[in-house]
Amino acid sequence: MARQHPLDRVRNIGIMAHIDAGKTTVSERILYYTGRTHKLGEVHDGEAVMDWMAQEQERGITITIAATTAVWRNHLINLIDTPGHVDFTVEVERSLRVLDGVVGLFCAVGGVEPQSETVWRQAEKYSVPRIAFVNKMDRIGADFYSVVEQVDRDLGANAVPVVIPIGSEDKFTGIIDLVDDVAVYYEENDKGMTYREEPVPDAMKDESHHWKQHLLEKVAEVDDGLLEKFMHDEPIADHELSRAIRKATHRHLVCPVLCGSALKNKGIQRLLDAVVSYLPSPLDLPPVSGRCLEGEPLERVPKDDGRLAALAFKVVTDRHVGKLVYVRVYSGTLSAGTTVLNSSRRKEQRVGRLLRMHAHHREPVEALYSGEIGAVVGLGATATGDTICAPEHPIVLEAIEFPAPVLSIAVGVKDRKQRERLGSSLSKLAEEDPTFVVTVNSETEETLISGMGELHLEVIIDRLKREFEVEVRTGAPQVAYRETITERAQVNERLVKQTGGRGQYAHVIMKLEPLDPGQGFEFVNKVVSGRIPKEYIPAVERGVVDIMQKGVYAGFPVIDVRVTLLDGSFHEVDSSDMAFRACASRAFKKGFMQGQPELLEPVMSVNVVTPEDFSGPVIGSLCNRRGTILGLDTQGNAKVVRARVPLATMFGYATELRNMSQGRANFTMHFEHYEAVPFSVAEDIVAERKARTGKKSG
């Protein structure tokens, strides 16, 4: 089947915004007005087509990206609806990597909100052209011009209205199109499907003229041809203005701003017009860059008969078709049944079926052409960020960078039979989501799952139960504490056992000394005159290491201790490796308890980047967590708080910081060193540990 829409009539766009700005409602209207759906799905009813996951419908939020296609003015629009919650920022990141343009959505009341800033910066990182849509103009407190000012000031975008509202709140009746110089009114009785264009009302002619001049000035500043006409008061045709806006948008010199109310079915058709008129096709953008297998830079231009280059940007486990790999084709044609090379893994794979996605519904196609987005069945060894290309013309495209997870919890199963299922289910979920990481703590034998926040992990747990039928129990991860001594101790230990046959005999005299933090373990042999035969010395060291790994004081590994073997004795018949190993363990245990043991905890280096308004609460919160503030630096218009904080107190901090700073602060954390736990805290930890191990042994 040949391509239905020429490449210059393809638009790959995403909708991004802060949570609850109305992204999914806008997406639903786009599908309705383009004829893709025949019923308006509402988020509040749990019937939105794009929010198809049970978790999305129950919570009324978008959790995962949903892709669909629609046609408007004979242009193919590949649309991706992205989540607004910061926990699911990975979905925005991977979408922006493959999109050609973005609609930034802003609430007419809330304006530029914290996550609006985050997603806008993400779009800047990938140099994606943007237009803005101010939604919810019907809400009490709606202020279009204030939002335009915020977009201009807070996001550094050259925000230029191309429409202005007629009224606001309950008096919002339509919009004035500044490019076409017409007033647009939407019919209430048919869900806004039809609208009428009228001359600009007399009461708004001055305001309309002011903003039209503003539009002309802003665009003329970045377009020499338009500037010439503007300076000489020559008439500027609508198509000339539209072309200049398009060119300036592609170069990130202006950001066209529109407005409407998706819930009240107003302004969406003009938004679709703007997507077609101002956002780029794949032909308008520079060729995609990559490198050959040897590392030399390469480029691929978008053409159907070119060399195949596609990027896998999302992996989904589907219970009906298995593994689905979402791809963006940058060059060439991806055909069903062909053999392709996964150049990221140097592995050839066979393409099974190709699908065009409509949320979770699938439409089989024979091929995905240059510039298109779809899903592939059959690429079992492909992961997010991998490049798919022609085997004879390999290229590796730039992979997708993902933020590191910030929150961990421990998971387990109530039933041993489900342990295997838990492992395979977690592997599948980790394959889908690069910000979801699974690790097993070799010391505590706990399975830890890490993600971007509490909601992220809550959804993972819910999916484990619903989709994979694994009943999991969760708990806070156990901190990897350590033990050491603070004073020297010397012990004289003798092991004598007679069991009727050959007995056991070993005798050691050893000294224990504390070492400086970070020096680990040191074993020194000072036995002279063969008082203990050389062949038994390694057994003594192994006995010490055995008990150090198990722990003495609270059952945690021992560190930073020097053990010096001073003297001892042996028996010609009853001494053995096993006897000296057991004797050394007993000796170390006694000496350790004499050396005034103390508990050590991991201390983390924490850097918090926060707007200045929240630096006080941030410092207070870190101090409450037994943290030590090391310094306060300035980074642009933000403050950087540097601190050392015990790991045990940092669980739940990501959520607290987000709430405290309205989502505008972030932090990094890494291990620095071990430090003594305050005595009162240590007593509680030891008691809890003994209670836990007592229950296990019982």
Side-chain angles (χ1 to χ4, degrees):
M1 185 175 72
R3 175 193 279 279
Q4 291 181 311
H5 296 88
L7 198 52
D8 64 344
R9 289 179 175 265
V10 173
R11 301 288 183 272
N12 293 310
I13 68 159
I15 299 180
M16 63 178 195
H18 186 85
I19 191 169
D20 205 31
K23 294 179 306 302
T24 301
T25 306
V26 169
S27 300
E28 295 295 321
R29 272 32 180 199
I30 288 174
L31 296 180
Y32 183 68
Y33 297 132
T34 57
R36 197 69 174 82
T37 58
H38 303 287
K39 176 177 178 282
L40 284 175
E42 302 292 2
V43 175
H44 54 266
D45 293 334
E47 294 181 356
V49 173
M50 302 296 270
D51 282 352
W52 56 271
M53 289 175 68
Q55 293 86 353
E56 293 177 315
Q57 292 168 355
E58 288 171 5
R59 291 170 172 82
I61 61 169
T62 302
I63 290 171
T64 183
I65 59 173
T68 190
T69 56
V71 177
W72 184 256
R73 282 173 34 192
N74 202 27
H75 285 69
L76 179 70
I77 298 174
N78 291 310
L79 171 69
I80 292 181
D81 177 26
T82 66
H85 197 288
V86 67
D87 279 17
F88 308 106
T89 187
V90 60
E91 299 293 325
V92 183
E93 190 81 22
R94 63 165 122 221
S95 301
L96 289 170
R97 174 65 178 80
V98 298
L99 292 174
D100 300 329
V102 162
V103 177
L105 216 61
F106 301 91
C107 172
V109 180
V112 175
E113 297 172 278
Q115 188 65 1
S116 312
E117 294 181 42
T118 303
V119 295
W120 198 267
R121 304 293 176 227
Q122 285 175 300
E124 282 182 345
K125 171 181 166 184
Y126 291 106
S127 196
V128 182
R130 280 142 281 168
I131 61 177
F133 184 78
V134 180
N135 191 29
K136 303 192 178 185
M137 283 300 303
D138 58 306
R139 279 188 57 188
I140 294 172
D143 188 338
F144 173 74
Y145 301 107
S146 170
V147 178
V148 171
E149 187 184 331
Q150 288 177 50
V151 172
D152 200 71
R153 181 190 67 233
D154 298 344
L155 301 181
N158 191 5
V160 182
V162 292
V163 308
I164 59 172
I166 302 173
S168 64
E169 301 180 350
D170 58 348
K171 293 184 175 62
F172 176 62
T173 54
I175 58 175
I176 291 174
D177 187 321
L178 298 173
V179 177
D180 295 338
D181 289 315
V182 293
V184 185
Y185 299 93
Y186 297 86
E187 299 296 338
E188 298 277 355
N189 56 3
D190 70 345
K191 299 177 180 175
M193 183 63 85
T194 57
Y195 56 89
R196 65 186 192 279
E197 294 182 356
E198 297 181 1
V200 176
D202 291 341
M204 292 196 66
K205 278 188 175 174
D206 288 346
E207 188 177 357
S208 175
H209 177 73
H210 165 76
W211 285 104
K212 176 67 175 253
Q213 289 302 110
H214 178 264
L215 171 61
L216 289 169
E217 285 175 21
K218 286 283 191 178
V219 179
E221 284 174 6
V222 295
D223 187 285
D224 293 341
L226 214 63
L227 180 62
E228 187 75 20
K229 285 193 169 189
F230 183 73
M231 295 297 288
H232 292 92
D233 285 330
E234 294 178 24
I236 297 171
D238 296 350
H239 70 274
E240 288 181 295
L241 178 56
S242 184
R243 188 170 61 239
I245 295 171
R246 176 182 178 82
K247 184 178 168 186
T249 304
H250 293 184
R251 294 166 59 199
H252 309 280
L253 299 174
V254 301
C255 174
V257 185
L258 300 97
C259 68
S261 167
L263 190 62
K264 295 297 175 65
N265 312 305
K266 294 173 183 174
I268 303 302
Q269 289 95 329
R270 243 38 183 203
L271 173 61
L272 281 164
D273 289 342
V275 165
V276 165
S277 299
Y278 307 139
L279 290 179
S281 76
L283 289 174
D284 296 314
L285 298 171
V288 66
S289 58
R291 53 182 174 79
C292 66
L293 297 181
E294 290 73 35
E296 294 299 315
L298 286 176
E299 286 186 343
R300 291 283 187 266
V301 282
K303 53 182 182 179
D304 296 344
D305 58 353
R307 295 172 174 177
L308 176 66
L311 185 74
F313 66 95
K314 183 176 172 67
V315 174
V316 176
T317 302
D318 187 290
R319 64 173 63 190
H320 302 294
V321 298
K323 184 174 177 177
L324 272 179
V325 179
Y326 283 72
V327 297
R328 157 74 192 265
V329 181
Y330 284 97
S331 172
T333 301
L334 184 63
S335 302
T338 56
T339 298
V340 295
L341 172 69
N342 181 330
S343 55
S344 305
R345 299 176 187 273
R346 313 279 178 104
K347 188 169 185 179
E348 289 194 3
Q349 298 177 72
R350 185 172 175 79
V351 176
R353 287 188 290 153
L354 295 173
L355 307 167
R356 187 165 279 133
M357 302 303 294
H358 178 48
H360 65 305
H361 299 294
R362 298 172 291 274
E363 176 189 323
V365 293
E366 293 176 10
L368 292 173
Y369 297 97
S370 181
E372 293 190 342
I373 290 173
V376 188
V377 179
L379 302 181
T382 297
T384 300
D386 287 357
T387 301
I388 304 300
C389 61
E392 60 274 18
H393 301 295
I395 184 173
V396 182
L397 302 177
E398 185 182 343
I400 309 172
E401 289 182 14
F402 296 108
V406 296
L407 187 72
S408 304
I409 60 171
V411 295
V413 286
K414 301 171 183 175
D415 182 341
R416 283 189 179 182
K417 293 177 184 174
Q418 291 207 320
R419 193 170 294 162
E420 255 182 60
R421 188 184 289 181
L422 173 66
S424 64
S425 302
L426 289 174
S427 296
K428 287 175 182 175
L429 290 170
E431 190 176 38
E432 287 186 17
D433 184 351
T435 59
F436 173 62
V437 177
V438 183
T439 54
V440 177
N441 188 321
S442 57
E443 289 176 17
T444 62
E445 295 184 351
E446 288 177 313
T447 299
L448 301 183
I449 59 173
S450 307
M452 298 308 295
E454 287 182 9
L455 181 60
H456 185 196
L457 295 179
E458 186 183 311
V459 169
I460 292 285
I461 296 297
D462 196 35
R463 289 187 64 191
L464 280 170
K465 292 175 181 175
R466 291 195 198 197
E467 293 175 34
F468 299 96
E469 297 175 348
V470 179
E471 282 299 319
V472 292
R473 48 183 172 75
T474 62
Q478 187 179 318
V479 177
Y481 292 102
R482 296 288 185 268
E483 301 175 8
T484 192
I485 53 172
T486 57
E487 294 183 6
R488 291 183 180 187
Q490 187 166 315
V491 62
N492 186 334
E493 181 69 15
R494 196 184 302 267
L495 173 71
V496 181
K497 278 189 180 180
Q498 290 295 332
T499 54
R502 181 176 173 179
Q504 291 186 50
Y505 179 90
H507 173 214
V508 296
I509 301 172
M510 62 173 63
K511 179 174 68 175
L512 280 64
E513 300 170 274
L515 292 175
D516 291 335
Q519 288 194 274
F521 166 62
E522 193 179 321
F523 181 80
V524 180
N525 175 27
K526 285 194 174 179
V527 176
V528 294
S529 307
R531 301 274 296 167
I532 299 176
K534 286 184 179 179
E535 61 265 28
Y536 293 144
I537 302 298
V540 174
E541 185 175 356
R542 281 198 302 274
V544 170
V545 171
D546 286 345
I547 195 67
M548 284 181 67
Q549 288 174 345
K550 292 178 184 175
V552 179
Y553 177 41
F556 296 105
V558 174
I559 60 170
D560 299 334
V561 173
R562 177 190 291 125
V563 173
T564 304
L565 182 59
L566 300 172
D567 201 358
S569 62
F570 73 105
H571 189 276
E572 291 282 358
V573 177
D574 292 344
S575 288
S576 64
D577 275 6
M578 187 183 296
F580 272 98
R581 191 167 179 172
C583 183
S585 291
R586 281 169 48 171
F588 183 88
K589 195 170 183 178
K590 286 182 181 177
F592 190 86
M593 294 308 293
Q594 292 170 16
Q596 299 299 316
E598 71 177 1
L599 203 58
L600 303 175
E601 63 182 346
V603 173
M604 315 302 284
S605 172
V606 178
N607 278 18
V608 185
V609 181
T610 175
E612 191 168 359
D613 296 352
F614 306 109
S615 58
V618 165
I619 291 171
S621 170
L622 292 172
C623 291
N624 288 339
R625 291 171 180 268
R626 297 197 280 121
T628 303
I629 306 301
L630 302 177
L632 185 64
D633 302 325
T634 301
Q635 187 181 89
N637 58 358
K639 291 292 181 184
V640 181
V641 182
R642 294 182 293 107
R644 286 200 192 103
V645 193
L647 174 63
T649 68
M650 287 299 289
F651 298 120
Y653 182 67
T655 304
E656 182 187 330
L657 179 65
R658 193 174 297 156
N659 294 339
M660 177 193 316
S661 66
Q662 299 171 11
R664 295 171 64 190
N666 57 72
F667 78 103
T668 57
M669 176 173 77
H670 65 264
F671 171 76
E672 187 155 299
H673 62 260
Y674 275 91
E675 206 169 90
V677 179
F679 183 71
S680 58
V681 177
E683 280 188 315
D684 293 337
I685 295 168
V686 172
E688 184 188 338
R689 178 76 168 180
K690 285 180 177 173
R692 185 186 301 178
T693 52
K695 282 178 187 174
K696 282 183 182 177
S697 60

